[in-house]
Amino acid sequence: MEMPLATDRLVIRDWSAGDAEAAYEVYGTAQVTHWLTPAMDRVTDVAAMRSVLQAWLEAQPNMIPPRGRWAVERKSDGAVVGGLGIRLLPPFREDLELSWQLHPDAWGQGYATEASRALIEWAFTQDTDELFAVARPNNTRAVATAKRLGMEWVGETTKYYDLSLQVYRIRHSDIAEQR
C-alpha cells in the first residue's frame, strides 16, 4: 500500500499548498487546537496556515516512513476534513505517535477511525512494530478513537510534551489478532 491511501469514504494524501484554506478550517479552530499535543496555538489566518503547510511540505520528503503529515479528504466531495500525522515523540525520539485532527463538522462520523486505521496498516508495512497515541485525560473523543482502533491503554505519563497524557499503543501483532 502506497500513498495516497484510500478507504471506502476517504483519501489520505500529502498536503498541498492549495490546501491552506481547508487546513485553516481545521487548525484555525480552537475546538481542535485546544487538544493538540504538543500544545499548539490556533492558526490565526490563511496566510499563517499557508506558512505552516509550506514547512510541512518541505519536511515531508526528508521524513523516514512511516513518519509524515497527511491531509484527509472526503471522496464524496473532495473536501479536506482533517489531517493525520506520524512523528517521533519527545524526549527520546524513539516512540512513534499517531495523531489525527478533524474539523468539528466531521466529528462523530467515523472518519478519524477510518483514516487512522488505514494509516496504521500502511505504517506496519514500513518496518514499524508499534505506534502510540497520546491524549489529554479529558479528551474523550481521542480516547474513544484510540480504543476503536484497538489501541491498548498503557498508562498515564508526563514524559511527552511535559503534559499529563493518557498513552495508548497498538502493535503490528495486534492488527493480526483483530482480523
Side-chain angles (χ1 to χ4, degrees), residues 91-114:
F92 304 116
R93 307 225 176 260
E94 299 171 341
D95 300 332
L96 287 172
E97 176 191 13
L98 167 69
S99 64
W100 52 87
Q101 308 81 38
L102 293 180
H103 188 279
D105 290 349
W107 292 355
Q109 298 178 46
Y111 294 150
T113 303
E114 185 176 331

Side-chain angles (χ1 to χ4, degrees), residues 72-89:
V72 177
E73 180 181 293
R74 191 170 40 219
K75 282 182 176 179
S76 64
D77 60 5
V80 172
V81 296
L84 293 172
I86 296 178
R87 63 179 171 218
L88 290 168
L89 281 163

Side-chain angles (χ1 to χ4, degrees), residues 7 9-16 18-26 70-83 101-103 105-106 109 111 115:
T7 69
R9 303 180 297 161
L10 305 168
V11 174
I12 296 101
R13 61 165 176 80
D14 288 337
W15 287 102
S16 73
D19 291 327
E21 287 187 31
Y24 172 68
E25 292 297 318
V26 176
W70 300 276
V72 177
E73 180 181 293
R74 191 170 40 219
K75 282 182 176 179
S76 64
D77 60 5
V80 172
V81 296
Q101 308 81 38
L102 293 180
H103 188 279
D105 290 349
Q109 298 178 46
Y111 294 150

Side-chain angles (χ1 to χ4, degrees), residues 1-6 118 121-123 125-126:
M1 206 168 17
E2 291 298 321
M3 290 293 172
L5 302 176
E121 290 178 6
W122 171 79
T125 69
Q126 303 298 309

Side-chain angles (χ1 to χ4, degrees), residues 76-164:
S76 64
D77 60 5
V80 172
V81 296
L84 293 172
I86 296 178
R87 63 179 171 218
L88 290 168
L89 281 163
F92 304 116
R93 307 225 176 260
E94 299 171 341
D95 300 332
L96 287 172
E97 176 191 13
L98 167 69
S99 64
W100 52 87
Q101 308 81 38
L102 293 180
H103 188 279
D105 290 349
W107 292 355
Q109 298 178 46
Y111 294 150
T113 303
E114 185 176 331
S116 296
R117 186 168 284 127
L119 191 60
I120 288 168
E121 290 178 6
W122 171 79
F124 288 148
T125 69
Q126 303 298 309
D127 198 29
T128 298
D129 293 324
E130 64 184 1
L131 294 169
F132 293 86
V134 296
R136 295 172 193 252
N138 294 331
N139 190 346
T140 56
R141 289 183 176 280
V143 168
T145 298
K147 289 177 181 178
R148 278 192 299 276
L149 290 167
M151 299 184 96
E152 176 185 350
W153 183 76
V154 293
E156 188 169 317
T157 186
T158 56
K159 172 179 159 182
Y160 307 123
Y161 309 115
D162 294 322
L163 297 168
S164 179

